[in-house]
Amino acid sequence: MAKLVMEQLTKTYDNKVTAVENFNLTVEDEEFIVFVGPSGCGKSTTLRMIAGLEDISEGAFSIDGKKMNNVEPKDRDIAMVFQNYALYPHMTVYENMAFSLKLKKMAKEEIKERVRNAAEILGLMDYLNRKPKALSGGQRQRVALGRAIVRDAKLFLMDEPLSNLDSKLRVQMRTEISKLHQRLKTTTIYVTHDQTEAMTMATRIVIMKDGVIQQVGTPKEVYDQP
Ligand code: ADP
Ligand code: ADP
């Protein structure tokens, strides 16, 4: 479970570009929040501040009441899924999913159980010994999701995870990710520039423009306006 509070989050890069300004948002446990907005509006920067991959210039970010500003990424209990999958090409599907758990020195039996559990949920049981290059695009994306699931994290961050897939697969995977969320109920923040994805997946949508929030609401509130 995780409740997030972002208060006046601001990011000014070294080149003086203010990418995000006074970002205020409370995310309730089990929500699926989608950030939408044009390229350059600050979606990734916000996600990266939450993940701890980018310093917060001003403001505060907390998870379940604990201030996270200065907590290392590895101690934030967050799992990320990227657009380019970022799979390790020399490792099998099993090893890709097991890798972060091995780094944590988790017991082998526990790793095995978590990887098998994730593989079953994602339909990857028959592919555990394959390398990424021998997988389809959808299967690779499932492995990337599997790597996030095995960590049993408090929060999923997904940065345009489907934008490298063709449109048919995008529709299919978006349904799969929604089902996954219904099953695991992990609080999720999902970045996309695709309005249809936002409408079909989100509990609430955050529309950003030029580094600020323009609107926050349910898909109905945001898109069904008279
Ligand atoms: P989005 O994810 O919505 O496309 P970004 O968060 O990537 O937007 O970028 C927001 C703004 O910050 C843009 O003007 C971008 O050029 C700028 N920006 C992003 N990353 C950096 C960086 N590392 N250094 C300087 N400016 C950056
Ligand atoms: P090592 O750390 O000794 O190199 P591995 O990382 O290959 O071992 O495997 C760790 C554990 O996971 C072992 O118990 C192994 O049997 C199991 N394992 C590895 N690959 C698979 C797989 N494809 N399917 C099921 N279990 C596997």
Side-chain angles (χ1 to χ4, degrees):
M1 64 151 259
K3 174 178 173 165
L4 318 181
V5 180
M6 288 154 246
E7 288 171 297
Q8 305 285 106
L9 274 197
T10 297
K11 175 67 188 183
T12 305
Y13 284 108
D14 293 341
N15 62 359
K16 307 277 188 252
V17 171
T18 297
V20 177
E21 198 166 11
N22 294 334
F23 187 101
N24 288 303
L25 182 71
T26 296
V27 178
E28 299 297 337
D29 186 30
E30 300 187 9
E31 273 206 277
F32 195 110
I33 297 284
V34 179
F35 291 174
V36 287
S39 181
C41 72
K43 305 183 296 294
S44 295
T45 299
T46 307
L47 216 59
R48 291 168 60 79
M49 283 193 280
I50 293 169
L53 302 174
E54 206 72 73
D55 286 338
I56 294 169
S57 306
E58 283 174 65
F61 165 55
S62 68
I63 301 181
D64 295 332
K66 182 174 185 241
K67 192 170 174 190
M68 303 304 283
N69 288 51
N70 297 315
V71 175
E72 296 266 316
K74 68 176 174 50
D75 298 325
R76 289 191 181 201
D77 209 358
I78 289 173
M80 280 191 93
V81 182
F82 299 96
Q83 172 175 7
N84 59 8
Y85 322 128
L87 302 182
Y88 305 110
H90 59 288
M91 294 184 192
T92 64
V93 167
Y94 183 94
E95 290 160 348
N96 263 282
M97 290 202 269
F99 186 69
S100 72
L101 304 182
K102 277 193 186 175
L103 285 185
K104 288 193 201 175
K105 309 238 184 305
M106 189 178 281
K108 274 195 174 181
E109 280 312 307
E110 171 78 16
I111 294 178
K112 202 167 176 173
E113 191 180 321
R114 287 196 187 197
V115 171
R116 291 184 155 265
N117 185 33
E120 251 166 51
I121 290 173
L122 294 163
L124 288 171
M125 283 303 277
D126 294 339
Y127 303 93
L128 286 173
N129 293 315
R130 287 205 197 175
K131 300 266 175 76
K133 69 173 188 306
L135 299 175
S136 70
Q139 288 164 343
R140 283 178 205 170
Q141 193 54 60
R142 284 190 197 100
V143 179
L145 287 167
R147 279 201 319 200
I149 292 173
V150 293
R151 298 169 62 108
D152 201 15
K154 277 188 173 177
L155 174 65
F156 286 155
L157 301 178
M158 305 193 186
D159 195 353
E160 306 236 10
L162 306 184
S163 56
N164 279 343
L165 302 177
D166 65 47
S167 58
K168 194 171 157 214
L169 203 50
R170 236 173 19 232
V171 173
Q172 187 190 329
M173 288 303 296
R174 140 181 131 207
T175 309
E176 287 189 27
I177 291 175
S178 289
K179 281 194 185 144
L180 198 62
H181 179 253
Q182 279 162 22
R183 176 163 176 173
L184 302 176
K185 303 196 189 300
T186 309
T187 308
T188 302
I189 300 180
Y190 185 103
V191 166
T192 183
H193 55 257
D194 184 332
Q195 273 194 16
T196 317
E197 275 179 23
M199 268 160 53
T200 52
M201 300 172 93
T203 54
R204 283 190 302 155
I205 295 170
V206 175
I207 299 182
M208 294 182 70
K209 195 185 172 197
D210 297 334
V212 300
I213 295 181
Q214 283 214 307
Q215 204 184 346
V216 180
T218 62
K220 218 171 153 46
E221 285 164 354
V222 168
Y223 290 118
D224 267 7
Q225 285 169 1

